[in-house]
């Protein structure tokens, strides 16, 4: 009997015997592990696909940004963006000062002339009450010192300003264009 019981116990714990409880447990665990591995594999492939799609979208977005930046460097749109940056900077720098800042680039001054992108006029609280400073922003490599001074002279007359500031984009300024210089009532600045 003992041998018979030993044989039954050995058969019950043998995972290779088809009808043993250990075989059923082994089959269940193997099936669960295979399903888990398949699920993990599928999730891993989905994650790889999402990551590849994300990387592709980032590369495309960066390429669009770089293309736009390159086009802006060659087009007038970049000059308008530079002008907006200069105007924003001057507006922020003079906020709270005894002056009024007006963007005038789109409006005609004397006659039909539109020279002068912005004008800063001092109010009665200022020692310079009534006088104005005209700003001209350019991102154009063709500008020389003399051409900038001439443009400021026209802009000062056009906007009835006592002084003028010509802001040249650093990216387009020639090596001989001064970083900061005063020529009478005109100031030339290189800024980015």
């Amino acid at each position: 009997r003992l041998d018979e019981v030993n044989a039954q116990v050995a058969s019950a714990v043998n995972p290779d015997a088809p009808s043993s409880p250990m075989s059923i447990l082994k089959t269940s665990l193997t099936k669960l592990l295979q399903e888990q591995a398949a699920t993990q594999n599928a999730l891993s492939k989905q994650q790889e696909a999402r990551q590849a799609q994300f990387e592709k979208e980032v590369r495309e977005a960066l390429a669009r940004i770089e293309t736009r930046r390159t086009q802006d460097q060659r087009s007038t749109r970049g000059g308008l963006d530079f002008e907006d940056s200069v105007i924003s900077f001057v507006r922020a720098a003079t906020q709270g000062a005894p002056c009024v800042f007006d963007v005038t680039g789109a409006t005609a001054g004397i006659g039909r002339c539109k020279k002068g992108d912005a004008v800063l006029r001092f109010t009665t609280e200022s020692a310079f009450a009534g006088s104005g400073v005209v700003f001209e922003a350019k991102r154009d490599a063709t500008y020389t010192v003399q051409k900038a001074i001439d443009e400021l002279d026209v802009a000062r007359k056009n906007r009835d300003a006592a002084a003028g500031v010509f802001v040249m984009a650093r990216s387009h300024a020639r090596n001989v264009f001064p970083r900061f210089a005063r020529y009478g009532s005109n100031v030339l600045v290189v800024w980015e």
Side-chain angles (χ1 to χ4, degrees), residues 101-114:
F101 185 74
D102 289 320
V103 178
T104 57
T107 59
I110 297 171
R112 294 171 50 188
C113 181
K114 292 186 178 182

Side-chain angles (χ1 to χ4, degrees), residues 97-99 121-131:
C99 59
R121 297 224 181 269
F122 294 96
T123 61
T124 56
E125 295 87 28
S126 171
F128 306 105
S131 54

Side-chain angles (χ1 to χ4, degrees), residues 82 115 117 136-140 143 151 166-169:
F82 178 72
K115 297 280 187 208
D117 297 327
E136 187 68 38
K138 292 294 179 193
R139 198 186 64 116
D140 185 344
Y143 273 83
E151 181 134 346
F166 187 92
V167 184
M168 171 61 85

Side-chain angles (χ1 to χ4, degrees), residues 73 82 139 141 168-174 190-192:
Q73 288 288 42
F82 178 72
R139 198 186 64 116
M168 171 61 85
R170 180 178 291 147
S171 61
H172 288 67
R174 294 179 179 182
V190 173
W191 183 74
E192 194 66 51

Side-chain angles (χ1 to χ4, degrees), residues 4 32 96 125 161:
E4 212 176 287
L32 283 174
E125 295 87 28

